[in-house]
Amino acid sequence: MPPTRSRRPGLRADAQRLVDLLEALGNMTVRQVLWRKAAEPDLTHAQSQLLHHLADHPGCHMGDVAKVFGVTLSAVTQIVDRLEDKKLVRRGVDPSDRRVHALALTPAGRTLAEGLHVRRLRGVTPLLARLSLRDRDRVLTGLDTLLTAAARPGDNGARNGRRSRTPARPARTLAVAVILLGLAGLAGCGREDVAAAKPAPAAPQALTITTARVEARDVDRVVETTGSLLAWQEVTLNTAVPGTVTKLLVDLGDRVNAGQVVAELDQREFVLAVQQTEAALRAARDGLVRAGAQVEASRASLRQVRESRKTWEANLRRWKVATEEARLNLERNRTLVDRQLVAQRDLDSARTQFESTMAQFEAAQVEMGQYPDRVRVAEAELQSELSAVQVAEAEVSRREAELGMAQKRRGDATLRAPIAGAIARRHVNPGESARENTAIFTIVRSDPLKYSGVVAEHAALEIRSGQTVRLEVDPVPGRVFTGRVTRVSPAVDVANRTVLLEAEVPNVEAMLRPGLFARGVVATRRDTGVAFAPEAAISYFAGITKAFVVTDGKAVERHVKTGRKQDGMAEILAGLRPNEVVATSSLARLYDGASVTTQAPKVR
């Protein structure tokens, strides 16, 4: 122990004594015990403190860490970089703003933080046990006083009539210094010295404290998200046909309706093409009419051939009978000539008649034999004419298609808005020659807007379609815009450990613009009966977060886990239940089992 001064002339002398004590404490065995575990992975004091903070506040942002420890964001970034290299910490990558990077411990980091905490308790607890209850109360009372002083701004310049511009150091740093001072004093004394110097401990007196009751509140659980606002629909209107731009009927910023004419191309060439295809279609239709007439003629001819069969059969029978009659007449005349009853001339006439009727009969037989061939010829002619009709019909269809294409190209020369929205960009000027598929306008629909953002992977299973999203944008400060989640990616992006989501955000007032950066929260669920305790009831000591529950005049120490802060109240995730009474003053003087006298609980 460094020598103590008998007189203390002022604040400067006390400061010098504090420095001497800290220097002496540097060689103490207890300090080696406290940080031996941290030295194994080559951790600095700042790195170990950050590990403890993340163990108590998982998911906090880098900006929050900078505020808690009173350092710059660059210093926090350097420490996080070192811990990431050691595989102890990971952070969500957000290219928009590094202040909103969510930090979390890796499994190895959480194991190390728990080990460090256990080591610290094992190193401090035996030494504090050497103190009597009264001395321990004095140490804690002094700590409470210094914490209160550290929470106020410094006034080193008060004697000169001016306020100091240097902010107070964080209370946590001062608390550590006081604890080390107490340990330094203990390191120089043995148990025998303490026992000899101190009389037998007197019965502890009850402390008078203020109390408050733990409240039960309904809490909306939210997940932070960042992203961009996009147009719900964005369409680039292109030309479908080449031509010269003759008219632009709208311009940048104009609102248009779906189907509204916004531009026109020169239509003369397309009008002539339509007239040409109309003439060709009329000619094809005339050809179809002629082919139809030929079909009717062929059908009539086929019917005529089929109906002539009866005539030919009757003619064949008639000539057959006539031939038989002529043959009999010839035979009869031969008999009469042999008897010289008729002249030779009559026999010659009968022979001529027979031969003539025989020729007619044979001709009728030939005609009757040609009937099947004549039917086949007539049927072939009919089929040929039917084929000609099909060709004519195909020609008509082709000409009609050509006319439709020509009319479409003529219609494509008039450009219409495909969606209702506003003109976001004009790409051409009147008089320009535009090729096919040339951009003319970009049209966007800005009501509603589409929010495309990300959430950290730890919330991947909590996001659902239909949940409410509340967003804020820098151009409209203080205004919250509400939307609804419409789509959630089924996979986590392995590059930045985030999940993509989309939401529909109404924009009736047109206060938002596509492309704005937005940040906000997604309401995942609503919890009821969540415990909230006053912040004054929460004690942060040596990396431990605790509170004291007052029961039957005794203070019962509870280790707690805190969440969000709200109106001076802290959410209690574990350790306290609603309606329990907790101490809100003299926390540094309290210990487990301490006797207390309470005032009436404060009803908030």
Side-chain angles (χ1 to χ4, degrees):
M1 288 286 293
T4 59
R5 295 179 174 85
S6 58
R7 37 188 318 271
R8 296 164 58 188
L11 180 62
R12 190 176 187 84
D14 288 343
Q16 181 62 47
R17 186 165 183 264
L18 176 62
V19 172
D20 293 341
L21 288 173
L22 292 176
E23 290 293 338
L25 188 63
N27 297 323
M28 285 184 56
T29 303
V30 64
R31 185 173 184 179
Q32 300 174 4
V33 172
L34 288 175
W35 298 108
R36 184 181 304 146
K37 185 68 177 178
E40 294 175 3
D42 191 23
L43 286 180
T44 65
H45 175 72
Q47 292 173 3
S48 63
Q49 290 300 313
L50 180 56
L51 288 178
H52 291 306
H53 183 76
L54 293 182
D56 295 335
H57 304 86
C60 64
H61 292 169
M62 293 181 63
D64 298 334
V65 175
K67 292 180 181 178
V68 169
F69 288 97
V71 297
T72 64
L73 186 62
S74 299
V76 176
T77 302
Q78 293 178 2
I79 295 174
V80 171
D81 290 341
R82 303 297 189 278
L83 293 176
E84 276 192 320
D85 293 341
K86 297 174 182 178
K87 309 297 185 183
L88 301 177
V89 171
R90 65 171 180 267
R91 56 182 166 185
V93 178
D94 189 330
S96 60
D97 190 350
R98 61 177 177 168
R99 291 174 297 181
V100 298
H101 289 179
L103 302 178
L105 292 177
T106 64
R110 183 169 298 279
T111 301
L112 178 58
E114 294 173 353
L116 289 175
H117 176 60
V118 172
R119 283 297 181 95
R120 291 201 301 182
L121 291 182
R122 289 178 179 176
V124 174
T125 301
L127 296 177
L128 289 181
R130 299 178 185 178
L131 291 174
S132 65
L133 292 179
R134 179 178 299 177
D135 289 340
R136 190 188 308 169
D137 181 68
R138 291 171 59 190
V139 170
L140 296 179
T141 302
L143 175 61
D144 190 20
T145 303
L146 288 178
L147 286 175
T148 303
R152 296 195 302 266
D155 57 351
N156 295 335
R159 295 182 179 181
N160 298 329
R162 65 180 183 274
R163 184 179 299 275
S164 174
R165 297 182 181 178
T166 303
R169 292 289 184 180
R172 186 182 184 89
T173 303
L174 186 57
V176 172
V178 175
I179 294 172
L180 294 179
L181 281 175
L183 294 176
L186 290 174
C189 302
R191 293 180 180 269
E192 296 79 1
D193 297 336
V194 174
K198 300 298 179 181
Q205 297 180 352
L207 296 176
T208 301
I209 61 172
T210 59
T211 60
R213 192 173 297 277
V214 179
E215 297 181 4
R217 295 185 177 184
D218 294 342
V219 178
D220 288 329
R221 298 301 181 186
V222 297
V223 176
E224 294 187 350
T225 176
T226 57
S228 299
L229 293 173
L230 308 175
W232 187 258
Q233 286 182 291
E234 180 173 343
V235 178
T236 300
L237 181 60
N238 295 339
T239 58
V241 294
T244 302
V245 179
T246 58
K247 292 181 181 179
L248 293 179
L249 304 178
V250 294
D251 210 332
L252 182 66
D254 292 343
R255 300 198 64 82
V256 296
N257 297 320
Q260 178 180 337
V261 177
V262 295
E264 292 183 356
L265 304 180
D266 188 358
Q267 299 187 9
R268 290 175 295 177
E269 181 179 351
F270 305 113
V271 171
L272 294 175
V274 169
Q275 294 175 354
Q276 182 179 5
T277 53
E278 286 177 345
L281 177 59
R282 287 193 296 270
R285 287 173 175 170
D286 291 341
L288 179 59
V289 172
R290 290 193 298 271
Q294 291 295 331
V295 168
E296 293 300 326
S298 297
R299 286 199 178 106
S301 176
L302 178 59
R303 281 196 306 271
Q304 184 178 4
V305 170
R306 289 174 175 172
E307 292 175 355
S308 64
R309 177 183 178 89
K310 296 180 181 180
T311 303
W312 291 339
E313 290 177 348
N315 191 37
L316 179 61
R317 289 193 297 269
R318 182 170 63 84
W319 288 113
K320 182 178 181 180
V321 172
T323 300
E324 183 63 23
E325 181 181 359
R327 186 183 63 77
L328 294 175
N329 187 35
L330 177 59
E331 292 296 331
R332 186 169 50 254
N333 282 302
R334 283 177 179 171
T335 303
L336 293 174
V337 168
D338 291 341
R339 294 180 181 178
Q340 296 183 354
L341 294 177
V342 294
Q344 184 64 35
R345 182 181 65 249
D346 293 333
L347 178 60
D348 294 337
S349 176
R351 184 180 294 110
T352 301
Q353 183 66 28
F354 172 73
E355 291 174 355
S356 175
T357 54
M358 179 59 72
Q360 291 294 335
F361 175 68
E362 291 175 354
Q365 286 181 327
V366 171
E367 286 183 351
M368 194 61 194
Q370 293 176 347
Y371 172 76
D373 295 334
R374 289 185 178 183
V375 171
R376 284 193 293 272
V377 170
E379 289 176 346
E381 290 180 354
L382 177 59
Q383 189 63 38
S384 176
E385 297 300 336
L386 290 175
S387 299
V389 168
Q390 292 178 352
V391 172
E393 289 175 346
E395 180 67 13
V396 170
S397 299
R398 185 174 71 87
R399 295 300 182 181
E400 287 177 346
E402 289 179 352
L403 177 60
M405 290 296 296
Q407 290 174 340
K408 178 185 178 301
R409 292 173 67 84
R410 182 181 63 183
D412 289 341
T414 301
L415 282 75
R416 301 177 182 273
I419 62 172
I423 302 298
R425 185 177 180 184
R426 174 171 59 87
H427 299 275
V428 298
N429 295 314
E432 289 188 18
S433 180
R435 297 182 178 180
E436 186 175 353
N437 203 32
T438 298
I440 304 298
F441 290 112
T442 297
I443 305 174
V444 297
R445 180 185 175 189
S446 56
D447 181 26
L449 288 175
K450 179 192 298 182
Y451 170 72
S452 178
V454 295
V455 297
E457 65 173 336
H458 66 80
L461 301 181
E462 300 180 31
I463 305 300
R464 300 283 189 277
S465 296
Q467 292 174 340
T468 300
V469 57
R470 295 188 290 271
L471 303 175
E472 295 181 356
V473 294
D474 292 339
V476 191
R479 178 72 179 270
V480 177
F481 299 91
T482 303
R484 179 178 57 85
V485 176
T486 56
R487 297 181 183 274
V488 181
S489 173
V492 176
D493 189 340
V494 297
N496 52 26
R497 315 309 303 177
T498 58
V499 177
L500 180 65
L501 64 88
E502 291 183 356
E504 179 181 348
V505 182
N507 189 28
V508 179
E509 301 177 18
M511 299 183 66
L512 301 176
R513 295 288 186 273
L516 288 178
F517 173 77
R519 63 176 64 87
V521 295
V522 179
T524 57
R525 68 182 188 278
R526 184 176 182 85
D527 291 344
T528 58
V530 179
F532 273 80
E535 292 186 38
I538 309 300
S539 173
Y540 303 95
F541 179 77
I544 300 175
T545 305
K546 61 183 180 180
F548 290 93
V549 178
V550 178
T551 304
D552 298 331
K554 299 290 184 179
V556 180
E557 180 180 318
R558 295 270 188 89
H559 288 197
V560 299
K561 184 176 181 181
T562 61
R564 65 168 62 182
K565 304 295 191 297
Q566 186 181 85
D567 301 331
M569 303 288 283
E571 178 187 2
I572 305 301
L573 302 178
L576 295 177
R577 295 186 299 273
N579 293 323
E580 288 185 319
V581 178
V582 293
T584 57
S585 65
S586 302
L587 300 185
R589 303 172 62 186
L590 293 178
Y591 54 91
D592 191 22
S595 298
V596 294
T597 301
T598 64
Q599 299 177 0
K602 296 180 181 180
V603 180
R604 297 181 60 90

